[in-house]
Amino acid sequence: MALEGARERRVRTGGIELCVAELGDPSWPTVVLVHGYPDSKEVWSHVASRLADRFHVVLYDVRGHGRSTAPRPLRGGYTLEKLTDDFLAVVDAVSPDRPVHLVGHDWGSVQAWEFTTVARTEGRIASFTSMSGPSLDHFGHWINSRLKRPTPRRVGQLLGQGAKSWYVYALHTPVLPELAWRGPLGKTWPRLLERFERVPGNGYPTSSLPTDAAHGAWLYRDNVRARLRRPRGDAYAHAPVQLITPLGDAFLSERLYDELEQWVPQLTRRTLAARHWIPRSRPDQLAAWIGEFVNANEGGRTVEATTGKYADRFGGQLVLITGAGSGIGRATAYAFAESGARVIAVDRDAEAAARTAEMSRLIGSPEAWAETADVSDEQAMEKLAVKVAAEYGVVDVLVNNAGIGLGGSFLDTSPEDWRKVLDVNLWGVIHGCRLFGRQMAERGQGGHIVNTASAAAYQPSKALPAYSTSKAAVLMLSECLRAELAGQGIGVSAVCPGFVNTNITATARFAGVDAAEEKRRQKRSARLYGLRNYPPEKVADAILRAVVRNEAVVPVTPEARGAHLLSRFAPRALRAIARMEPPL
């Protein structure tokens, strides 16, 4: 199956012919995509189409895969030295005068590490983006260091990766892998990818899969044992490297890359909440990162590492925050931006959302956008969800933060007051969870939902019946949703702040009083919250920490934590406090 719109050519090298496909203008920077096992070049089709409007994109079938011919005999025909010959033949044909930007996945990355660390390719590679495939030399040194200096943690890492590498042992078995791939495994493989990796078909894998997989077994047999036993001591990268690590990879541990800096002088790390086959499951994210890295290195500079506290966790992830125009929402947007996340700032105030997005870009977000929506409007939220999925992708983290305050006794609170507070505080959260949560679940790569509740969710108050009810409902919704989505790798956290110095006090409504009295109470509440002076930035930090730790209920301020303890161990005391009148 040919890539749509691609120009194909044949490149001869070492007695075989490689099928090479090209997209985009050849005068643009060249990006070479190398596929892994048991794939063919079509695994890159979604990524390639997203890069082709900016770059000269080159894909080729590794020898014995897809439409490339196989060496004869197969044994000894797949050594890293011969694969390097193939790579040089391809780049000499497609980009003879300029170095190329190399991208590899799985065994494509294993090969590309060889290309990037041997002397004869120096000057031909401008940058290398690696995903889900370590250097066999680095891997060998990683194993040796743990055998020579064992500790409980290091032994655990070794055993853990050994268990993940079960398939490597199987592929060294004579004949059986070939029989399996040409038989039942080859037929069921697409269904297995869809079920366990959530990878849709759409022309992938191609009909050559059984043959590709049978030939590709020699990648392991010709290289793995020999390199792991005698790793090269000079395997230093001579080009900048971007490492993208999918956190849900079933085959490779994150710990494999712990000591990579000693081999790579210019290293940029990214993590992605996804499984192994990210070229198919996360093409938008990969295309964005690859494009950014290529452009940076084309300009003679390297991508600076994001310095935020959780940069290794959120770098490049897509985060949507409602109520991002001010207060906790804005502070949360900035915190994610500082950690390198791509931010979508949503607010009903278009100018406020735009300011948040602009500052997020200045702080460190590679991309930030402003969107206008009223979270209480079901149709508006549905349109927002469709637009976000189409233009930005599926969000990795959703923060349902938009909310309004309402004070006043129950008997003074009108049905219209109830509708307004429930529409924003509860239905806004429901709309966000339903629409964006469904997209996360359908993608099948995990994610996280944060719902901003309040200490009022578990601390009753005679002056806040409507507000407390709405936040208690958000807390219970979060708990129920957490149970439902746990099996799909989607975490749900309810963040419960106490008195935080935001503008909610200045905009809060008070039932049962005239406009002058409402204004007076707003000023009084704002003054008291100002004296308390608990900054929204601390709540934002708690939100990021909750996502990292997958925490269920997160009381933030000291009074929120105290009330939470009382609700569990001394509810009668909490009911006594409820008879007092808080500032809001």
Side-chain angles (χ1 to χ4, degrees):
M1 174 183 173
L3 289 161
E4 185 176 350
R7 308 177 297 277
E8 286 196 355
R9 68 165 84 185
R10 312 291 289 188
V11 174
R12 293 190 62 84
T13 170
I16 64 168
E17 279 192 349
L18 300 175
C19 180
V20 180
E22 299 176 69
L23 298 92
D25 191 329
S27 67
W28 294 339
T30 298
V31 179
V32 178
L33 306 173
V34 188
H35 69 80
Y37 178 85
D39 299 317
S40 59
K41 64 181 180 297
E42 280 72 23
V43 74
W44 288 112
S45 60
H46 294 335
V47 175
S49 64
R50 287 161 171 79
L51 293 172
D53 61 345
R54 295 167 285 162
F55 305 108
H56 175 215
V57 182
V58 176
L59 314 88
Y60 68 94
D61 286 320
V62 172
R63 54 173 53 202
H65 294 68
R67 300 172 66 194
S68 293
T69 59
R72 289 289 181 265
L74 294 174
R75 181 188 296 273
Y78 287 86
T79 63
L80 288 171
E81 291 77 13
K82 291 181 179 179
L83 296 170
T84 304
D85 292 339
D86 294 351
F87 167 72
L88 286 171
V90 170
V91 298
D92 286 345
V94 300
S95 184
D97 302 320
R98 296 174 63 183
V100 302
H101 297 271
L102 182 60
V103 181
H105 172 256
D106 189 82
W107 252 95
S109 178
V110 175
Q111 295 178 58
W113 275 112
E114 179 80 359
F115 310 157
T116 311
T117 57
V118 294
R120 62 190 176 120
T121 60
E122 194 161 359
R124 299 298 286 123
I125 299 172
S127 72
F128 168 39
T129 296
S130 166
M131 56 195 83
S132 296
S135 159
L136 292 183
D137 297 303
H138 302 163
F139 192 6
H141 288 294
W142 184 86
I143 293 172
N144 291 339
S145 69
R146 279 148 184 78
L147 292 175
K148 291 176 181 177
R149 296 185 299 277
T151 64
R153 182 176 65 86
R154 286 176 156 230
V155 171
Q157 292 173 357
L158 201 57
L159 293 174
Q161 181 55 52
K164 285 176 175 282
S165 298
W166 61 268
Y167 62 98
V168 177
Y169 321 129
L171 286 167
H172 279 81
T173 306
V175 182
L176 290 180
E178 286 87 342
L179 292 175
W181 280 110
R182 295 182 190 278
L185 184 56
K187 295 177 182 177
T188 59
W189 187 248
R191 293 197 298 274
L192 292 174
L193 283 178
E194 186 169 359
R195 179 178 178 183
F196 296 106
E197 288 279 334
R198 300 304 295 269
V199 171
N202 301 327
Y204 165 82
T206 64
S207 59
S208 64
L209 169 69
T211 302
D212 297 343
H215 288 163
W218 288 98
L219 291 167
Y220 295 87
R221 295 165 181 170
D222 279 352
N223 297 288
V224 173
R225 282 187 292 191
R227 266 313 161 86
L228 293 186
R229 288 173 180 172
R230 293 181 296 277
R232 292 162 48 218
D234 61 346
Y236 297 99
H238 49 65
V241 176
Q242 174 177 222
L243 176 70
I244 299 176
T245 306
L247 298 174
D249 197 319
F251 308 107
L252 295 165
S253 167
E254 294 175 66
R255 304 280 70 82
L256 273 179
Y257 308 105
D258 281 353
E259 293 136 25
L260 194 56
E261 278 80 2
Q262 66 179 294
W263 301 104
V264 184
Q266 300 178 68
L267 178 64
T268 300
R269 290 178 179 265
R270 314 268 199 190
T271 59
L272 191 59
R275 300 177 190 176
H276 182 79
W277 263 274
I278 51 179
R280 301 302 295 184
S281 63
R282 303 300 294 277
D284 292 304
Q285 178 65 82
L286 293 189
W289 278 339
I290 293 167
E292 178 188 353
F293 198 64
V294 169
N295 286 331
N297 286 288
E298 275 291 307
R301 62 182 179 86
T302 56
V303 176
E304 295 183 4
T306 307
T307 58
K309 184 176 180 181
Y310 300 109
D312 61 336
R313 175 64 172 80
F314 297 117
Q317 290 201 357
L318 185 62
V319 180
L320 185 146
I321 303 114
T322 66
S326 62
I328 293 172
R330 175 170 282 179
T332 302
Y334 292 167
F336 276 112
E338 190 176 10
S339 293
R342 298 177 298 144
V343 172
I344 304 172
V346 179
D347 201 279
R348 62 184 179 183
D349 184 334
E351 291 184 7
R355 286 194 295 272
T356 298
E358 181 180 6
M359 184 58 70
S360 295
R361 288 190 290 270
L362 293 174
I363 287 173
S365 176
E367 295 176 290
W369 306 273
E371 294 292 345
T372 306
D374 180 348
V375 298
S376 67
D377 186 333
E378 180 181 359
Q379 292 185 345
M381 289 296 286
E382 287 179 347
K383 290 178 181 178
L384 175 67
V386 170
K387 180 180 181 182
V388 166
E391 297 186 9
Y392 314 128
V394 177
V395 299
D396 297 295
V397 180
L398 167 68
V399 183
N400 289 307
N401 171 74
I404 59 174
L406 177 66
S409 70
F410 172 78
L411 296 179
D412 287 332
T413 304
S414 69
E416 182 61 25
D417 291 331
W418 275 99
R419 276 191 290 271
K420 286 180 180 179
V421 74
L422 291 176
D423 280 349
V424 176
N425 291 2
L426 177 57
W427 276 105
V429 174
I430 292 173
H431 295 324
C433 291
R434 179 176 63 86
L435 296 166
F436 294 103
R438 182 179 295 279
Q439 291 177 1
M440 288 183 191
E442 290 176 348
R443 181 182 65 183
Q445 299 292 328
H448 204 96
I449 297 171
V450 178
N451 296 326
T452 303
S454 168
Y458 46 76
Q459 179 178 347
S461 168
K462 70 175 185 179
L464 297 167
Y467 181 79
S468 297
T469 298
S470 69
K471 293 300 185 179
V474 168
L475 177 58
M476 182 52 70
L477 169 64
S478 302
E479 293 276 42
C480 294
L481 198 58
R482 181 179 177 87
E484 179 176 340
L485 298 180
Q488 302 185 57
I490 300 172
V492 181
S493 301
V495 174
C496 303
F499 302 136
V500 180
N501 191 15
T502 69
N503 68 349
I504 191 172
T505 53
T507 59
R509 294 186 59 255
F510 290 84
V513 298
D514 59 25
E517 176 60 17
E518 182 175 70
K519 195 70 174 177
R520 188 190 70 79
R521 293 192 183 189
Q522 288 173 345
K523 288 182 178 179
R524 176 173 173 267
S525 299
R527 185 173 65 254
L528 291 173
Y529 275 62
L531 290 173
R532 172 68 178 86
N533 200 28
Y534 194 93
E537 289 75 17
K538 287 190 176 182
V539 183
D541 188 61
I543 288 174
L544 270 68
R545 188 170 60 249
V547 177
V548 170
R549 298 178 181 177
N550 191 20
E551 297 175 323
V553 181
V554 187
V556 181
T557 60
E559 64 273 10
R561 291 192 291 270
H564 191 244
L565 286 173
L566 288 176
S567 69
R568 298 177 64 185
F569 302 110
R572 292 183 63 182
L574 205 60
R575 295 186 190 109
I577 296 172
R579 293 193 288 270
M580 302 169 61
E581 188 167 338
L584 176 61

